[in-house]
Amino acid sequence: MRARDDLSMENLEDSCASLRTQIAAIEAQLEGLKRDLANAEAAVKSEADSTGKPHEGQNDAGNRWPLLPEEYKRYGRQMIVSQIGLRGQLKLRAAKVLLVGAGGLGCPAAQYLAGAGIGTLGLIDGDTVEISNLHRQVLHRGKNVGKYKVDSAIEALRELNPHPTYIAHRTHLTPEEAPAIFEKYDLILDCTDNPATRYLISDTAVLMGKSLVSASALRTEGQLIVLNNPPRRPGEKDGGPCYRCVFPKPPPADSVVSCADGGIIGPVVGTMGVLQALEAIKVLTAPETDTAADGSAPHEAPVMQIFSAFSNPQFRSIRIRSRRANCAVCSAEASVTLDTIASGSTDYVFFCGSATASSLLGPDERVSPEEYREKHPLINTRTNGEPEGSHTVIDVRDKAQFGICNLENSINIPISNFLASAPLSTADLKASQLPSWLPSELASPESNEPIYVVCRLGNDSQIAVKKMKELGLDRNGQRYIGDIRGGFRAWREQLDPDWPEY
Amino acid sequence: MAETATGSSTLPITVEFTGGLELLFGNERKHNVALPAQLKDGSQPNISYLLGYLVDNLMQDQRKDMFIMEDNVRPGVLVLINDADWELEGEEMYELQKGDNIVFVSTLHGG
């Protein structure tokens, strides 16, 4: 019965936690309302100030200064920069900013925005903290692994600056909820990691009349763009371009690489997140544009910033197009509306597609790690003395990954070699014009040893097997060539729990 | 093959690949490319010509559709002509000038 007691204990603890969270949320809301009131009062006062009525000696000391004494100290260093000033600080305090994604971009962006004294910061993310996030997602602490990223991030942000109101949205952004969430904010930051969500965020931002600071990063590079700035209604040509103006069609799903697959250097994505915070501050504190004589407000031409850590120069500003005359969202011919988003007839997952599920090989061309080990035991103690089951293992991961961990006696031939080799003509095959990267002992016609191909997850290995068969290395079926199903991930699960998981 | 270039002079430009596209081009970001200054029909090489040239001469990866789809750059690739979006310069019809810097940028999605 211990187990049952533990269970009900757990339930009670859960509901305590949930109540605590609700109380915290309502308290945060209350704080926000108080601040809104303070801001409104400050605005009334500064309005009165600007009309020239002196307030010196006003009896209500609480209204004398628009910021709290601590806020003057805390924000003084940025307020004395002329581009910010008290005017800018009050705008920041009145601003409500939503960060979609609390990862590599969202963490540094949120950190700087909280530090700068944004009045309300909302974070939306349905993921929980993983240990593989910590090298770049700088708000999360090791003790918070397993916790919602938004809760972990807000915990750190509160320690940094208790003044802002923090709002946690513990969910992935969905088309159904996006408009209602965006409505509560003035500015949106796209800190997400996939095309479908990026289109959803841009579409919703345009239709809700919000500017959007969008960034992305992979490996050693990053990109940044401020969209729908100034925010204008669909059809109004003087609005800034949206994501669809720049990228009307999504990239093929096969070409989309995630940080988990492609890798990412922490400070690279950090740089982009910090730049997002900077652009957000610029948008929020921008002086009201003086309307030009012809009635049009002058605006800087839209640009995209490209960062490349190992190039010189590292930063590049490129001029991009303005609104697209036939844009599906922000033009007069728009076909995407809040209704089509909410109803699901604008289908983002369909629009962006999904990478083709990979099963290029038949079952007889694949072995599980366990089956491989049965065929080729680790220590050969058979009495006949013959080195039973001599074979070759080709590891097609790239050099960096092979360098992290590899199997003894495996050969490293990165998949890029296979992808670069043109299909051979039969004449080539007769002349045994095999690619130079193929070790000669594999290519030699005397060799009939089986070949096993392995990679990280079991996708590239299938491509390599196909390519080798095209090259005729299987001698019309006389030689076995297959892959290890599930790659090193399965290898670790089935055979070797010590195998590094990276 | 000799007739690709009727003029003897060449048109030197630089071509760069970023955002992962360099992986399709031998993992080299920057390439110096000498195009024929005049094509056999008397026209000057434009971006459209350059695309074909790059696929035939510079691209190493066999997956052409990672770069070109329907005779144009695939969706998700920006083409920059001297640091401006090619849409501001006439897209694939832009006639290349000596010393032009053409950059192909694949959009990133990680974050």
Side-chain angles (χ1 to χ4, degrees), chain A residues 104-105 192-195 198 216-223 243 247 249-252 255 304 306 308 311 316 318-321 324 419-422, chain B residues 16 18-20 22-23 29 60-63 65-66 69-70 74-76 78 80 82-85 87-89 101 103 105-111:
Chain A
L105 295 165
T192 62
D193 60 1
N194 66 87
R198 289 184 182 279
S216 58
L218 184 68
R219 297 188 185 105
T220 63
E221 300 186 320
Q223 296 167 356
Y243 196 71
F247 306 110
K249 283 189 203 162
S255 71
M304 182 184 211
I306 299 182
S308 180
S311 299
R316 193 161 202 157
I318 58 171
R319 286 179 292 129
I320 56 165
R321 55 162 310 121
R324 189 178 285 273
L419 295 171
S421 74
Chain B
E16 291 179 62
T18 82
E22 68 278 7
L23 299 174
R29 285 172 193 277
Q60 298 195 1
D61 198 291
Q62 293 298 307
R63 296 169 299 166
D65 57 355
M66 295 297 270
M69 283 172 103
E70 293 163 8
R74 70 157 168 82
L78 284 181
L80 311 178
N82 302 323
D83 282 344
D85 188 340
E87 301 197 28
L88 303 170
E89 307 284 346
N101 175 242
V103 186
V105 188
S106 173
T107 45
L108 307 174
H109 301 94

